[in-house]
Each structure stands twice: as structure tokens, then as C-alpha cells.
């Protein structure tokens, strides 16, 4: 029978979700369990190349980072017909990069409540990754995927009370850290620079003594970008000004949130808060967490 590949046998391909240097990602339905997954299909990397190391890092990281509400879940990986496949949890709400683009086109921006909710959830995800002595090293809007919980998006009067007890305390919208291709060990790192717009200066200078704080820096700039709606610089004077700690104030948001973001992008990584400290910050006290 033609195409006796695991991919075609086990999955029905619904549509392409994205393309990139890495390969292509497809939305697929598993023929047996009926669930929807995101499957990345990439060319088998050349043995011994940085691509192979990244591909293996990604699978090792997913295998270690089991189940967490704010990290995209991994199910399986396999190789066949000169391609590598990784089967991940499908998040139905797109990425934060798409949300950012929509806001730019509509001229709208996230509310303080939305920003603090995103920051709180992603800081929880980083707390978990760092607790496994791993670092992500490519936190950015394009690597944060959104999952809208349809059951919980209804308004309260529409029979919400009918659902299970614990569901009532779930967040209707979940933000999940994805794309673990740059993940490496906190203490025995093989660092592959992430997107330069979100890259901490010390990483560029190959100072890997505080890698978890590079993730905090990237998260701070990610939230700043969502709040400002403006493109972040890739290089030049503006890029260096931010790395000197000169972060513009976001007028639509509270002093507390602006102060927290400024501390997250402090020039000295030791001055930046840990992921745990971010989740406990006063700026996230009311709206940020349940
Ligand atoms: C481009 N693109 C769009 C989506 C759907 C967002 O609503 C997406 C996903 C993933 C990934 C992904 C990223 C990096 C590695 C592997 C995968 Cl499957 C890429 C995705 C992933 O792991 N889970 C996704 O939902």
C-alpha cells in the first residue's frame, strides 16, 4: 500500500499550521484516539550538525518536561523516510505573535489584567522549566501558544455550574511555552542563541553563569512588546539602550507592572527576579493569580 509511513497511517492531516527553516507544522487528528495534535515534520538533520543537536535537545527537553499547564505537552517523536516528526499538544488559539499582529492591525492593546495573566502563567512555566535545571533560551511571542478552553469560555449563566468542581477554577485561556529547540542544561549548557530581539546581552558575550535570568530577560521583553505593540529592535542604538536598562515606560499600565518589567530586563542578570519572585510580585497580586 502506498505511503506506509507511521505519519500517514496514524494521522489524518487537517492543515498546515506553519512553515519555517525548521520544517513544517501540521494540525493532525490521530485516527485511533480522535484527538488533535500539532506535528512538526523536519528533514533529518545532518549527523553531528548543530541541527541534530537542537533536534535531540528538543526531544530530550520534552521528555524531561512532562506535563505542565504552561509548557506545551510532548507525546511522541520518530524518524522515517529521511524526516523527523515530533507530536505535540495542539493549542487552538494561535501564538502570542499572532495576537500581537492582530492588535497592531486593530490599533488595540492588551489590558493590564490580560498582561498580568500572561506574565503570571509564563512565569509559572519558567519556574517549572528552571526547577528541572533546564533553560529555554528562546522565549518570545512566537513561541508562546494559546489554548482557549471552550467549556470555560461560556458566560457563567450558561450552565457553568454543571461542570466538574475543579474545572470552575481553571483559567479559560491558557498560555503555554513551546518550541524547546534551544533548551539546554542550566549548569552544563550548549548554548544556541535565541532570537536577538529578546536576547540578553550577557548571552551574546558568552557569559552563561546565570542562564535562568536570560529567560527572565526574554520574558520581560516579550511582555513589554505585548504592552507597547511596537517592534523590538534587532540591533543598533535602541537595542543597546534596552540592554543598558533604559526601558521606556508603558503609559497604559500601572507603575507596579512597569517597575516589574524594568527589573526583569536589568543589565546585571543578578538584579533580575527569579521566576518564583515574578509570580509573587505585587503587580500580579489581584488579577495575576487565582
Ligand atoms: C506554527 N504553529 C502553530 C501552532 C498552533 C498554534 O495555535 C503550533 C503548535 C506547535 C508548534 C511547534 C513548535 C516547535 C516545535 C514543534 C511544534 Cl509542533 C508550532 C505551531 C506546538 O507544539 N503546539 C502547537 O499548537
Amino acid at each position: 500500500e502506498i505511503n506506509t509511513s507511521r505519519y500517514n497511517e496514524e494521522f489524518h492531516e487537517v492543515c498546515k499550521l506553519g512553515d519555517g527553516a525548521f520544517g513544517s507544522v501540521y494540525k493532525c487528528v490521530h485516527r485511533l484516539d480522535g484527538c488533535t495534535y500539532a506535528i512538526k515534520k523536519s528533514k533529518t538533520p545532518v549527523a553531528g550538525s548543530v541541527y541534530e543537536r537542537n533536534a535531540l535537545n528538543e526531544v530530550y527537553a520534552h521528555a524531561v518536561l512532562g506535563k505542565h499547564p504552561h509548557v506545551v505537552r510532548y507525546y511522541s517523536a520518530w524518524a522515517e523516510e529521511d524526516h523527523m516528526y515530533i507530536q505535540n499538544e495542539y493549542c487552538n488559539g494561535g501564538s502570542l505573535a499572532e495576537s500581537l499582529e492582530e492588535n497592531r492591525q486593530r490599533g488595540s492593546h492588551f489590558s493590564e489584567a490580560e498582561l498580568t495573566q500572561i506574565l503570571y502563567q509564563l512565569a509559572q512555566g519558567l519556574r517549572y522549566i528552571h526547577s528541572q535545571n533546564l533553560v529555554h533560551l528562546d522565549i518570545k511571542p512566537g513561541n508562546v501558544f494559546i489554548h482557549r478552553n471552550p467549556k470555560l469560555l461560556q458566560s457563567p449563566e450558561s450552565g457553568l455550574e454543571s461542570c466538574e468542581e475543579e474545572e470552575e477554577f481553571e483559567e479559560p485561556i491558557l498560555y503555554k511555552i513551546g518550541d524547546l529547540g534551544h533548551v539546554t542544561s542550566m549548569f552544563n549548557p550548549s548554548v544556541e542563541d535565541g532570537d536577538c530581539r529578546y536576547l540578553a546581552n550577557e548571552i551574546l558575550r558568552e557569559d552563561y553563569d546565570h542562564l535562568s535570568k536570560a529567560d527572565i530577560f526574554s520574558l520581560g521583553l516579550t511582555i513589554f512588546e505585548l504592552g507597547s505593540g511596537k517592534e523590538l529592535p534587532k540591533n543598533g542604538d535602541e537595542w543597546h539602550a534596552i540592554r543598558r536598562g533604559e526601558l521606556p515606560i508603558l503609559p497604559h499600565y500601572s507603575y507596579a507592572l512597569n517597575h516589574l518589567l524594568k527589573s526583569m530586563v536589568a543589565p546585571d542578570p543578578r538584579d533580575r527576579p527569579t521566576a518564583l519572585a515574578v509570580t509573587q510580585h505585587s503587580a500580579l497580586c489581584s488579577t495575576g493569580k487565582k
Side-chain angles (χ1 to χ4, degrees):
E1 152 204 4
I2 54 159
N3 253 344
T4 55
S5 79
R6 170 173 168 183
Y7 179 70
N8 289 301
E9 273 172 10
E10 284 195 28
F11 298 91
H12 165 65
E13 190 178 280
V14 176
C15 65
K16 179 180 276 192
L17 291 169
D19 256 326
F22 54 80
S24 299
V25 178
Y26 298 89
K27 178 179 179 181
C28 300
V29 175
H30 192 269
R31 298 187 197 279
L32 195 64
D33 70 22
C35 292
T36 302
Y37 297 94
I39 298 182
K40 183 177 77 169
K41 175 181 180 182
S42 45
K43 290 283 287 171
T44 305
V46 171
S49 70
V50 75
Y51 301 101
E52 183 188 53
R53 194 185 64 201
N54 277 356
L56 292 174
N57 278 342
E58 180 173 5
V59 174
Y60 297 155
H62 269 301
V64 166
L65 296 173
K67 193 163 171 32
H68 190 275
H70 303 303
V71 177
V72 168
R73 189 166 170 201
Y74 159 84
Y75 289 88
S76 179
W78 68 96
E80 66 184 355
E81 296 175 353
D82 194 31
H83 282 92
M84 268 186 67
Y85 297 84
I86 182 164
Q87 175 196 349
N88 285 349
E89 166 186 11
Y90 170 65
C91 304
N92 61 15
S95 74
L96 276 180
E98 287 153 24
S99 311
L100 193 55
E101 197 41 50
E102 275 165 34
N103 282 350
R104 282 177 182 145
Q105 278 160 19
R106 286 196 202 127
S108 59
H109 59 80
F110 287 97
S111 67
E112 170 119 359
E114 283 170 323
L115 272 201
T116 51
Q117 184 60 240
I118 295 167
L119 176 53
Y120 178 71
Q121 293 192 26
L122 297 183
Q124 292 282 49
L126 276 189
R127 250 182 89 184
Y128 175 63
I129 294 171
H130 296 166
S131 73
Q132 304 298 309
N133 288 336
L134 293 172
V135 286
H136 185 278
L137 296 188
D138 200 18
I139 297 291
K140 60 179 187 176
N143 286 341
V144 175
F145 299 110
I146 301 166
H147 191 68
R148 301 183 196 289
N149 210 329
K151 292 191 292 292
L152 295 174
L153 283 176
Q154 296 152 4
S155 51
E157 54 274 5
S158 66
L160 192 63
E161 61 284 346
S162 65
C163 67
E164 296 304 311
E165 178 58 35
E166 67 276 358
E167 268 189 338
E168 278 159 24
F169 300 100
E170 262 180 40
E171 291 304 332
I173 302 180
L174 287 172
Y175 300 94
K176 297 171 181 269
I177 295 170
D179 194 341
L180 308 189
H182 289 254
V183 168
T184 191
S185 156
M186 200 182 272
F187 303 112
N188 181 17
S190 62
V191 171
E192 184 71 24
D193 286 359
D195 190 316
C196 59
R197 291 171 291 178
Y198 309 88
L199 189 69
N201 201 15
E202 71 271 11
I203 302 300
L204 214 57
R205 300 176 184 286
E206 300 184 3
D207 168 3
Y208 302 152
D209 294 343
H210 311 277
L211 281 177
S212 63
K213 298 302 185 70
D215 282 341
I216 296 295
F217 180 94
S218 305
L219 178 57
L221 277 194
T222 292
I223 303 299
F224 175 83
E225 183 177 28
L226 296 179
S228 81
K230 288 204 284 294
E231 294 266 343
L232 288 174
K234 293 192 169 103
N235 48 44
D237 294 347
E238 247 194 287
W239 187 93
H240 285 283
I242 290 173
R243 272 77 183 168
R244 283 195 304 272
E246 295 161 27
L247 198 70
I249 296 291
L250 295 173
H252 301 290
Y253 305 100
S254 67
Y255 169 79
L257 181 57
N258 274 284
H259 187 261
L260 173 53
L261 294 180
K262 197 172 174 63
S263 71
M264 292 174 74
V265 302
D268 183 339
R270 289 167 296 191
D271 297 335
R272 300 171 201 154
T274 61
L276 175 63
V278 171
T279 60
Q280 295 170 337
H281 193 278
S282 59
L284 308 190
C285 60
S286 58
T287 57
K289 49 184 175 276
K290 284 288 167 212

